[in-house]
Every structure is written in structure tokens, then in C-alpha cells.
């Protein structure tokens, strides 16, 4: 049928193929045009009703079904006046007078450029010369690209026209070809002879199928897709079907084709093997009959996976069991993000940038053993820690970075060469400070926090004897906070522990926590009409590990900017007050998106904090301390932040359990952080 110049082709399986023909009043003159392949006359040979009435899709004589052609007017071979004066009625190679043909433009072989590009002046069976498309290839020839073969009509001998198709090597009469393909050899090939996988037939064309058989493709196959020949039958009756087959159809029509009984129903793979899914015979609507399709990626014990992968069995890991390839490359060439600082990413098969690879390389030396370093670079400096035995590189001087204490050995500090800015290069020098540590039990301190902060305070209570810890909610601080330092009628030192701040899961909540903290510090120092103001020595605020959970990168930057503005104002208002800054608490390394986001944003927050306040000596680097094992080894995650910098992860023994993925601390973690914090508070000035 035809509707508004659009031809609709119904083919077996219930599918519809819509082919728009922009006829625009020119199809009736197609016989006088050369093979120009313009937008309105391209077609596929063998397709019913694809050309306007009175025309037929024509390609080079002898080309296989499904070859691209053009619509030409039909005629009768030998009939007088069948075609215009500049065209000739051409039939098949063996066409007799009065048989069907098409009107093709005549030409002269001796005239240069007698035919358009891509066509040749060919002599027809009756001695005329017409312009015909040059075939894509010839069966048995070598005109196709590598991995392709020239496929002609069923049984076509060598030298006949064909088209290039992807094929694979096989043996005639054997398996090894995909659904819809069979193994064919050259003319007269015997069973077992080498061949190529070629379509058994083409959907919409029964060429290649015996009488009474129809070409059926995979579910919802398009016109001219490869298919198999199935016997025709009537739905509801299996008469005419081979033994074991039943009559199936895509719709409830009287006609169908013979198939093996369905193995499964689309949408339900429970009847299939683990590695298979149910593919519909005619369509992929849920509940349609289908067959189990798919092969395992590999077999356990084989080497068919990529170099960085292993074959893991779906249900068993015995050799030969079906499995899937699992595993990721350690790194990508040109990016050492997942490698240790002393390693490089070496490609498994290629060293072009982006190729998958593995981390290779050994550290130059081990800290504490300089004997392996040459005379011109005699010092072994740790990549991440200067604890004895940690991996390092040989350097000419014990270089370090200001504000990064782990870059120097114990009992030394990093002194800048020309700058005191954080991360400026320096050299490790003996501490030799003459400032005596203070007794923190005699200080007036205020700590605002949530959850992990309370765990750190618990640690302080166990490692610092006689430290008075005063724990209250933030709501009471606003009414009589200063009074909490009073005991038995006199002012007593201690740590005012306010542990009920919100979780700060978004920017608004986190900003509010800064406002409340600053407001309460001012209230304690200034007092009110009924409560006298009292001096504070040290104050510090710590965000929850949930900070940045529901923030964007831009909001995380805005939060730091607001924090810095408020803290700078507080420090300026009270010059004798020591405002200590905490880097953000971290979570264990993990590949979950929320953990990745939290840890990478914590690193960015830490970087900004150290850049802004590192030179003051008033930054307590909580993130680094939580990532550092007792032996000085620093725990880095396998990923890096957006700037390519290493990401710190909570040292596993400091987490409550091996499966924990939040920021809470074990007893060992609480005490490790508390010891470092107590030492920091005793020495900060």
C-alpha cells in the first residue's frame, strides 16, 4: 500500500519497513536518466513495492539480492518503442524476447566519460550498450577490504557480481557461523573444504530458500538482514513442519513458519544460563516466545581475557567452567594517578597515552638507610613519610615542604629557604625550640563539633590526665555559656565541649554552624547583663564527616570563603585569642561515589586551609593525622582529586571495623588523634 508518497512494505515476522520515496513528479522519467543514485531513486533489489508503480529496482545484471540500485521503468525485451529513444530495454543475462526488463540509458564504449562516475558502458545480451553501475566486487575476487568477502547470489560462480560483507572463515558443512549465516565454499566445494560465513537468505526475499520456505531473521530484523529458511505452515497446525518443530507466527495470522519450541519468554531469563538472555523469535515484547542467546565471555583457566583481567566463573571456578572477564587495569599510560609516587604506568600491550597498564618501579632507597644512594644525592627522603624503612628517593639535600611535617624525620622541622608560606621548599633542621609546652589542663578552650569531635574528646579524656571536660548542648551556651567554666563558685579551666551541631549535609547548614560557633565565642568572651565575660585561650571548630555530602564543588569553596572571613574577623576582634583551624575529617578509601566526593572535597578544603593558614602554625592537620599509621606510613586512596593530587584515606585500624565507610573512629583512632591534638594545643602560639 502507498500513503502520501511513502511506501510501506510488510515482511514476514509482522514488522514494517518504511521507505520514503520523494517522488516529486520525477519517477516517471527515471528511464531517461543515467544511474545517478539521487535521493529519490535509490532502492534495494528484490524489495517488493519499493519503487513507484511501473518501475523496478535495478542494479548490475547478476548482482545479488539486496544490492543498492535505482528505480527504472519496466518494459518488455524486444518490444518496439518499449523505451524512449535514448534508452534500451534490458532483461537478465538469459532473457528472451517479450520477457520483463527495465529501460536503461544507452551509451557508446568508444566515447570518453560515456557514463557517469561509478558506471560503465556494458554490452547487454542482445548486443546493446547501456550504462550500468560497476559491481562492488566479483565473487572469488579480491576487491573487498580485509576481513570481508565478495558475496553473490546463492550458488553464484566465480566472476559474477557481488557485494562486500564481513565474513569469517569456516568449513563447508560444519558449524562456526552466526545465526542467519551458513558456510559456503567456492564452486563445487565439498564438505570440510574452507569457506566463509555468508547469509543463508535475506529477510523479505526468499532467494536461497527452497519452495515452501520463507526467510526469517532475528527478532525485529530489518529488510535484507541475514536470515534462515523456515518451512511455511498454518498457525494452530504443525502439518508440514519437521519433526520436533512447531508452527509459530509473530501475530495471530493464519500463516507462520516452523521453529523449534521456544526456550524462554522475553523478559524472563530464568530458563537460560547465567550468561544468556532471552531473545524473541519474532519480537522483543515482554512475554514473547524466544531462545536463550549469548555465550560466556571466557572459560576459567583460559587466557581469552585482556591482560589485566581474570576469568571468574559464574557458578564455579573449576577449569573450563564458563565465566566472565573481571578486573580493571591498575592505571592508564600517561597518568600515574593510581600508582605509588615511585612508580610509572607501563602498558600491557601499548605505551600510547591512555592505554591500560600496570604500575611498575621500585623506590630508590629506604628511609634510614642512605647507603644505597650515590655520592651526589646522598640523602634518602621519603615520598610520603620519613619513618625508618619507608620508601624514598635519593636527593642532594634533605628537602622538605613547609607546613608538611611528614616530609622531615622525627625531631626535625622544615625551615623555608626564602619563604614561610605553606608548601614552600625547605630543609629539615633540628627543632631546637626554646618555648616550653603548656599544661593544657590549665587552659580555657572551646571546641564546637559533632560526632567524630566527641570521639576525639573521649580520646583526650583518656590520654590527658586531669583535663576537665565540660560537655553541653549549643542551645544552653547561648544563655549561660561562660558559667560552665565556673565550679564551686570559682572559675576553673577546661575544655568546653559542645557536641550537638547539625550534620552539615548542605551548604546552608554548614554556614549556619559557623555563624553559631562565632556567636557563642563572642558571647562567652563578652558576657551579657547578668553573666560577666570571661577570657578564652583557644577555640576551634570541626565540621562533621558528612560535610560536603550534598554540596557542589562551588558550594564547598563558598563555605571555606565564609569560614575564613568569619574566623579572620574573630581573630582580629580578639588578638590574644588563638583560633585553631582544623582540616576536614576523612573517610576510609572507597569506590562509592559519595565517599569519593567526600574525600576529594575534603582534600580540596585541606589544600585551601593550609594555603590560607599554614604559615601561622595554627592548623591542626586532622586529615593527615587520620591517614597516618603509627609507623608513619600515610594511607592514600587509589584515586586522585580533580587537580591530580593524592587523596588521603582514613587509616584502616582507625576505623571502627573493616567494613566501615563513614568517618567514625575506633578506640585506637581516637587516642592517636587525641595525642597529636594534645601536643599541638600545648605548643601552638
Amino acid at each position: 500500500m502507498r500513503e502520501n508518497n511513502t511506501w510501506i512494505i510488510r515482511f514476514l515476522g509482522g514488522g514494517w519497513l518504511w521507505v520514503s520515496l520523494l517522488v516529486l513528479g520525477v519517477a516517471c522519467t527515471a528511464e531517461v536518466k543515467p544511474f545517478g543514485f539521487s535521493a529519490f531513486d535509490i532502492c534495494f533489489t528484490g524489495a517488493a513495492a519499493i519503487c513507484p508503480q511501473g518501475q523496478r529496482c535495478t542494479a548490475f545484471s547478476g548482482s545479488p539480492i539486496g544490492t543498492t540500485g535505482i528505480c527504472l521503468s519496466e518494459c518488455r525485451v524486444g518490444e518496439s518503442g518499449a523505451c524512449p529513444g535514448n534508452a534500451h530495454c534490458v532483461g537478465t543475462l538469459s532473457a528472451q524476447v517479450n520477457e520483463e526488463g527495465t529501460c536503461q540509458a544507452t551509451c557508446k564504449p568508444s566515447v570518453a566519460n560515456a557514463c557517469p562516475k561509478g558506471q560503465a558502458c556494458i554490452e547487454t545480451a542482445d548486443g546493446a550498450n547501456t550504462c550500468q553501475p560497476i559491481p562492488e566486487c566479483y565473487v572469488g575476487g579480491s576487491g573487498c577490504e580485509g576481513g570481508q568477502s565478495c558475496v553473490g547470489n546463492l550458488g553464484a560462480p566465480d566472476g559474477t557480481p557481488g557485494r562486500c560483507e564481513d565474513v569469517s572463515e569456516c568449513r563447508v558443512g560444519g558449524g562456526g557461523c552466526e545465526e542467519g549465516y551458513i558456510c559456503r565454499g567456492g564452486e563445487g566445494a565439498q564438505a570440510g573444504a574452507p569457506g566463509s560465513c555468508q547469509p543463508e537468505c535475506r529477510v523479505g526475499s526468499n532467494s536461497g530458500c527452497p519452495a515452501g520456505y520463507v526467510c526469517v531473521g532475528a527478532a525485529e530484523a530489518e529488510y535484507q538482514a541475514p536470515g534462515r529458511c523456515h518451512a511455511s505452515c498454518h498457525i494452530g497446525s504443525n502439518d508440514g513442519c519437521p519433526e520436533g518443530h512447531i508452527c509459530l507466527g509473530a501475530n495471530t495470522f493464519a500463516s507462520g513458519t516452523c521453529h523449534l519450541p521456544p526456550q524462554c519468554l522475553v523478559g524472563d531469563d530464568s530458563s537460560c544460563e547465567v550468561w544468556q538472555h532471552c531473545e524473541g523469535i519474532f519480537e522483543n515484547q515482554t512475554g514473547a516466545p524466544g531462545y536463550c542467546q549469548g555465550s560466556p565471555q571466557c572459560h576459567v583457566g583460559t587466557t581469552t581475557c585482556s591482560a589485566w583481567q581474570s576469568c571468574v566463573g559464574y557458578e564455579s571456578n573449576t577449569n573450563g567452567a564458563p565465566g566472565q572477564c573481571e578486573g580493571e587495569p591498575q592505571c592508564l599510560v600517561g597518568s600515574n594517578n593510581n600508582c605509588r609516587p615511585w612508580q610509572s604506568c607501563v602498558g600491557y600491550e601499548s605505551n600510547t597515552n591512555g592505554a591500560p597498564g600496570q604500575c611498575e618501579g621500585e623506590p630508590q632507597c629506604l628511609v634510614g638507610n642512605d647507603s644505597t644512594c650515590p655520592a651526589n644525592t646522598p640523602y634518602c627522603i621519603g615520598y610520603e613519610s620519613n619513618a625508618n624503612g619507608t620508601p624514598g628517593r635519593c636527593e642532594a639535600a634533605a628537602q622538605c615542604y613547609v607546613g608538611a611535617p611528614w616530609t622531615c624525620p622525627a625531631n626535625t622541622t622544615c625551615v623555608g629557604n626564602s619563604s614561610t608560606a605553606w608548601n614552600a621548599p625547605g630543609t629539615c633542621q633540628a627543632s631546637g625550640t626554646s618555648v616550653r609546652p603548656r599544661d593544657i589542663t590549665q587552659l580555657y578552650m572551646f571546641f564546637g563539633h559533632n560526632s567524630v569531635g566527641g570521639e576525639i574528646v573521649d580520646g583526650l579524656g583518656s590520654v590527658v590526665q586531669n583535663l576537665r571536660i565540660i560537655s553541653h548542648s549549643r542551645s544552653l551556651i547561648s544563655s549561660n555559656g561562660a558559667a560552665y567554666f565556673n565550679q564551686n563558685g570559682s572559675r576553673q579551666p577546661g575544655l568546653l565541649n559542645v557536641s550537638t551541631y547539625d550534620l552539615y549535609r548542605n551548604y546552608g547548614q554548614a554556614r549556619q554552624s559557623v555563624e553559631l560557633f562565632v556567636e557563642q565565642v563572642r558571647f562567652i568572651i563578652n558576657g551579657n547583663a547578668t553573666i560577666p565575660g570571661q577570657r578564652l585561650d583557644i577555640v576551634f571548630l570541626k565540621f562533621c564527616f558528612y560535610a560536603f555530602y550534598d554540596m557542589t564543588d562551588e558550594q564547598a569553596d563558598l563555605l571555606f570563603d565564609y569560614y575564613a572571613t568569619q574566623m579572620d574577623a574573630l581573630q582580629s576582634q580578639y588578638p590574644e585569642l588563638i583560633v585553631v583551624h582544623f582540616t576536614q575529617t576523612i573517610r576510609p578509601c572507597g569506590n562509592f561515589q559519595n565517599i569519593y566526593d567526600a574525600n576529594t572535597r575534603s582534600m580540596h578544603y585541606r589544600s585551601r586551609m593550609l594555603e590560607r593558614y599554614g604559615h601561622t602554625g595554627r592548623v591542626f592537620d586532622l586529615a593527615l593525622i587520620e591517614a597516618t599509621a603509627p609507623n608513619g606510613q600515610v594511607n592514600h586512596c587509589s584515586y586522585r582529586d580533580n587537580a591530580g593530587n593524592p587523596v588521603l584515606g582514613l587509616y584502616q585500624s582507625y576505623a571502627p571495623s573493616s567494613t566501615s565507610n563513614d568517618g567514625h573512629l575506633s578506640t585506637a583512632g581516637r587516642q592517636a588523634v587525641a595525642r597529636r591534638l594534645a601536643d599541638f594545643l600545648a605548643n601552638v602560639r
Side-chain angles (χ1 to χ4, degrees):
M1 57 183 170
R2 181 180 179 184
E3 301 172 359
N4 299 327
N5 288 336
T6 298
W7 292 88
I8 308 171
I9 304 168
R10 180 95 191 197
F11 62 91
L12 187 67
W16 294 96
L17 176 66
W18 298 75
V19 182
S20 294
L21 297 174
L22 307 180
V23 180
L24 302 179
V26 297
C28 60
T29 60
E31 69 273 12
V32 298
K33 299 193 325 0
F35 283 78
F37 292 91
S38 58
F40 53 80
D41 56 14
I42 290 179
C43 55
F44 298 97
T45 59
I50 200 168
C51 291
Q53 186 175 3
Q55 295 186 357
R56 188 195 313 158
C57 189
T58 305
F60 186 90
S61 183
S63 296
I65 296 296
T67 300
T68 301
I70 59 175
C71 295
L72 297 177
S73 293
E74 295 177 333
C75 58
R76 293 284 178 178
V77 175
E79 181 181 358
S80 176
C83 297
N86 60 344
H88 183 74
C89 188
V90 179
T92 62
L93 291 175
S94 57
Q96 303 297 314
V97 172
N98 208 37
E99 289 187 0
E100 292 183 350
T102 53
C103 294
Q104 300 179 10
T106 57
C107 57
K108 293 182 179 181
S110 59
V111 176
N113 301 319
C115 295
K117 185 178 180 180
Q119 300 178 36
C121 192
I122 306 295
E123 184 178 356
T124 64
D126 59 0
N129 294 299
T130 61
C131 291
Q132 300 184 31
I134 299 173
E136 191 173 349
C137 60
Y138 292 92
V139 175
S142 57
C144 298
E145 297 178 356
Q148 292 188 322
S149 180
C150 190
V151 178
N153 288 319
L154 183 65
D158 289 351
T160 54
R163 62 165 169 247
C164 295
E165 293 191 353
D166 293 331
V167 295
S168 58
E169 296 302 316
C170 56
R171 295 286 174 176
V172 175
C177 292
E178 297 179 0
E179 180 70 21
Y181 290 81
I182 61 173
C183 190
R184 291 200 179 103
E187 188 174 3
Q190 301 296 314
S196 59
C197 294
Q198 300 181 18
E200 180 176 330
C201 57
R202 295 279 179 179
V203 173
S205 168
N206 296 333
S207 176
C209 294
Y213 281 70
V214 176
C215 188
V216 179
E220 300 160 343
E222 295 183 356
Y223 176 74
Q224 291 300 318
R228 295 283 194 193
C229 296
H230 291 263
S232 299
C233 56
H234 291 280
I235 295 176
S237 170
N238 297 330
D239 294 343
C241 291
E243 185 177 354
H245 289 60
I246 61 175
C247 190
L248 298 174
N251 299 296
T252 56
F253 295 121
S255 61
T257 49
C258 299
H259 299 264
L260 289 169
Q263 297 173 322
C264 56
L265 298 178
V266 174
D268 180 7
D269 297 336
S270 59
S271 302
C272 302
E273 298 289 353
V274 197
W275 58 88
Q276 295 179 316
H277 71 281
C278 188
E279 175 75 19
I281 298 173
F282 297 107
E283 62 182 3
N284 275 311
Q285 295 292 328
T286 300
Y291 295 137
C292 295
Q293 301 290 324
S295 301
Q297 293 181 2
C298 57
H299 289 86
V300 177
T302 65
T303 57
T304 53
C305 298
S306 300
W308 58 91
Q309 294 180 315
S310 299
C311 186
V312 178
Y314 293 97
E315 298 168 334
S316 166
N317 276 310
T318 58
N319 281 347
Q324 55 192 336
C325 297
E326 293 188 359
E328 298 294 331
Q330 294 180 4
C331 55
L332 299 177
V333 175
S335 172
N336 297 326
N337 289 359
N338 294 331
C339 299
R340 308 301 292 181
W342 58 87
Q343 294 180 317
S344 297
C345 187
V346 179
Y348 292 97
E349 298 168 340
S350 166
N351 276 309
T352 56
N353 282 346
Q358 54 193 335
C359 298
E360 294 186 359
E362 298 295 330
Q364 296 177 8
C365 56
L366 297 178
V367 175
N369 181 12
D370 297 336
S371 61
T372 57
C373 291
N376 60 332
T377 53
Y379 298 98
C380 185
I381 305 301
Y383 291 96
E384 299 164 332
S385 165
N386 274 301
N388 283 346
T390 56
R393 59 183 175 273
C394 297
E395 293 191 355
Q399 188 175 22
C400 56
Y401 297 93
V402 175
W406 65 93
T407 59
C408 279
N411 302 319
T412 64
T413 187
C414 188
V415 178
N417 298 326
S418 59
S419 171
T420 57
W422 177 81
N423 213 31
T427 54
C428 298
Q429 299 180 14
S431 299
T433 177
S434 60
V435 180
R436 291 176 61 89
R438 292 173 296 195
D439 180 0
I440 67 171
T441 66
Q442 300 304 307
L443 298 176
Y444 293 87
M445 299 177 290
F446 177 36
F447 185 17
H449 61 83
N450 197 329
S451 72
V452 176
E455 294 168 356
I456 296 172
V457 172
D458 288 343
L460 283 171
S462 66
V463 302
V464 181
Q465 294 183 357
N466 303 319
L467 176 63
R468 180 173 174 240
I469 297 175
I470 313 159
S471 298
H472 287 286
S473 68
R474 72 163 190 239
S475 60
L476 295 177
I477 297 297
S478 298
S479 59
N480 61 351
Y484 284 117
F485 286 104
N486 295 331
Q487 187 177 36
N488 300 325
S490 64
R491 176 171 162 80
Q492 298 291 326
L495 174 66
L496 181 55
N497 170 40
V498 182
S499 59
T500 55
Y501 281 79
D502 289 332
L503 292 179
Y504 327 138
R505 285 195 177 204
N506 59 52
Y507 172 71
Q509 291 173 337
R511 178 180 170 124
Q512 184 183 32
S513 71
V514 178
E515 293 173 353
L516 289 169
F517 176 77
V518 172
E519 173 187 302
Q520 291 161 4
V521 169
R522 289 194 172 109
F523 177 80
I524 293 172
I525 296 176
N526 296 333
N528 61 21
T530 59
I531 300 175
Q534 299 187 41
R535 176 177 60 86
L536 281 172
D537 295 311
I538 303 175
V539 297
F540 39 101
L541 169 69
K542 187 197 77 63
F543 289 139
C544 176
F545 64 80
Y546 270 120
F548 314 131
Y549 190 83
D550 287 330
M551 293 187 204
T552 64
D553 292 342
E554 292 77 13
Q555 288 174 329
D557 270 330
L558 287 173
L559 175 61
F560 177 81
D561 291 338
Y562 182 75
Y563 168 90
T565 300
Q566 294 300 311
M567 294 303 166
D568 288 351
L570 194 65
Q571 187 69 80
S572 177
Q573 185 177 359
Y574 308 108
E576 299 301 317
L577 177 68
I578 298 177
V579 179
V580 165
H581 310 279
F582 273 48
T583 59
Q584 176 60 12
T585 187
I586 54 177
R587 300 169 71 172
C589 293
N591 292 322
F592 300 107
Q593 186 65 42
N594 63 333
I595 295 178
Y596 171 83
D597 289 343
N599 279 348
T600 54
R601 287 173 184 157
S602 292
M603 290 302 98
H604 181 66
Y605 184 87
R606 173 177 181 260
S607 175
R608 293 206 62 189
M609 183 70 76
L610 291 170
E611 288 172 358
R612 180 87 171 232
Y613 298 111
H615 67 283
T616 67
R618 293 183 175 181
V619 176
F620 181 66
D621 198 351
L622 176 61
L624 176 63
I625 292 165
E626 288 186 330
T628 305
N631 66 358
Q633 181 68 45
V634 179
N635 179 40
H636 283 98
C637 299
S638 60
Y639 45 82
R640 299 200 174 199
D641 64 16
N642 293 335
N645 300 315
V647 174
L648 299 173
L650 182 65
Y651 175 58
Q652 189 61 60
S653 295
Y654 293 165
S657 70
S658 60
T659 58
S660 173
N661 61 15
D662 57 29
H664 286 294
L665 297 173
S666 65
T667 300
R670 299 177 188 194
Q671 293 181 356
V673 174
R675 280 191 289 268
R676 296 291 292 271
L677 179 58
D679 180 68
F680 178 87
L681 295 174
N683 289 280
V684 67
R685 295 292 189 272

